Amino acid sequence: EVQLVESGGGLVQPGGSLRLSCAASGFTFKTYGMSWVRQAPGKGLERVSSISTDGVTTYYAASVKGRFTISRDNAKNTVFLQMNSLKTEDTADYYCATRFDGLGTRGQGTQVTVSS
């Protein structure tokens, strides 16, 4: 059974940083592209960032490019999202998901609130 457990969310002031982690189990992690998607209050799901199986190819939404960095550790079955220069509009529930297109199985999410 695929399990994805996100952590690292919280309340941060604008301009601050957070690092999200997603621990994966129940599947062969190193053979899956992985993604982070988010859902802001009252809005639909947005694909934020993706990373290929070997970490070489990445994707970033225009809204986060230059501020967020995705990475993965295949030895630890974990994918990360380093979020810098956070803005109020980054407030959302963040989910990691299997597949490079972000349309695979998602975890339970971690809440990120950017507010002064």
Side-chain angles (χ1 to χ4, degrees):
E1 178 188 0
V2 173
Q3 283 200 316
L4 301 167
V5 180
E6 299 93 337
S7 60
L11 172 64
V12 63
Q13 292 186 338
S17 298
L18 284 174
R19 189 190 195 210
L20 306 184
S21 299
C22 172
S25 62
F27 64 105
T28 307
F29 178 77
K30 65 181 180 181
T31 68
Y32 279 74
M34 296 295 295
S35 298
W36 285 95
V37 299
R38 68 185 180 185
Q39 186 165 26
K43 297 190 176 181
L45 277 173
E46 176 190 15
R47 181 187 177 205
V48 174
S49 184
S50 302
I51 188 166
S52 60
T53 55
D54 58 5
V56 172
T57 302
T58 56
Y59 161 85
Y60 295 97
S63 57
V64 307
K65 191 173 284 188
R67 301 187 297 120
F68 290 11
T69 302
I70 192 170
S71 61
R72 65 189 294 161
D73 184 339
N74 284 343
K76 296 184 178 180
N77 289 359
T78 304
V79 60
F80 305 96
L81 186 68
Q82 177 67 44
M83 305 188 296
N84 298 329
S85 303
L86 283 160
K87 304 176 181 180
T88 55
E89 52 262 45
D90 294 317
T91 295
D93 291 325
Y94 284 72
Y95 304 87
C96 69
T98 58
R99 293 174 45 167
F100 191 84
D101 60 10
L103 298 179
T105 302
R106 293 193 299 271
Q108 87 290 345
T110 186
Q111 189 173 61
V112 172
T113 302
V114 185
S115 175
S116 55

